[in-house]
Amino acid sequence: MAVRTILEFPDLRLRIRAQPVTRFDAALAALIDDLLETMYAAPGIGLAATQIDVHRRVLVIDISEERNQPLALVNPEILAREGEASSEEGCLSVPGIFDEVKRAEKIRVRWQSRTGEVSERDYDGTLAVCIQHEMDHLDGKLFVDYLSDLKRERIRKKLVKERRERASRPSAAAGQARRAY
Ligand code: NI
């Protein structure tokens, strides 16, 4: 297992659409383990393969306080959406930025496990938000895409500036990533 580098907005590799997983082999298991280790190290509550520059439809989530309930979804699909809810989101690829995003309140999801086993389940609350956020990553979409062009451009400039400052002052704090995914 290894902690991988997380791509940051506006890196264009975050815009690549991920391809379905077709082989449920040791390489997939290693990818899932790396995603989990990278997510826990960040620390964050979710991470999509796209964010570590692997363009396969795989995401991991753990919203538990104890950090001991990892979920790994391979080839996730949303079968049904219900309602609408707005909540504050953050993203490990857009560090330090939090804003309100409107999404479906409840979703029915089908996915495969690391061994290819198919599951189907309804989700609501934080897990529903998190799954929709991570699935956007697999389609090359970021939560800042839901904000106004003006706001997104302001965020882009802020991050580019902060990255430049971080490069000259490597000890600068990364900020509150606990709620980011
Ligand atoms: Ni994210």
Side-chain angles (χ1 to χ4, degrees), residues 46 51 90-94 133-134 137 142-143 180-181:
Q51 291 176 277
C91 179
L92 294 172
S93 293
V94 193
H133 176 115
E134 301 310 335
H137 277 303
L142 297 166
F143 87 98
Y181 33 107

Side-chain angles (χ1 to χ4, degrees), residues 9 97-100 144 147-157:
F9 176 71
I97 306 292
F98 296 88
D99 216 318
E100 292 283 321
V144 293
L147 310 178
S148 69
D149 291 350
L150 184 70
K151 227 174 193 179
R152 192 169 46 258
E153 180 57 16
R154 218 181 281 152
I155 291 167
R156 189 189 67 76
K157 282 185 182 152

Side-chain angles (χ1 to χ4, degrees), residues 7-21:
L7 301 178
E8 292 182 5
F9 176 71
D11 195 310
L12 290 174
R13 290 171 292 180
L14 287 167
R15 299 306 189 178
I16 299 170
R17 199 182 148 82
Q19 297 300 310
V21 170

Side-chain angles (χ1 to χ4, degrees), residues 18 47 56 154:
L47 190 67
R56 293 285 162 197
R154 218 181 281 152

Side-chain angles (χ1 to χ4, degrees), residues 54-69:
V54 175
H55 303 283
R56 293 285 162 197
R57 304 191 80 80
V58 182
L59 59 91
V60 296
I61 292 174
D62 188 345
I63 64 162
S64 70
E65 278 301 320
E66 302 76 19
R67 320 290 284 146
N68 60 2
Q69 288 171 48

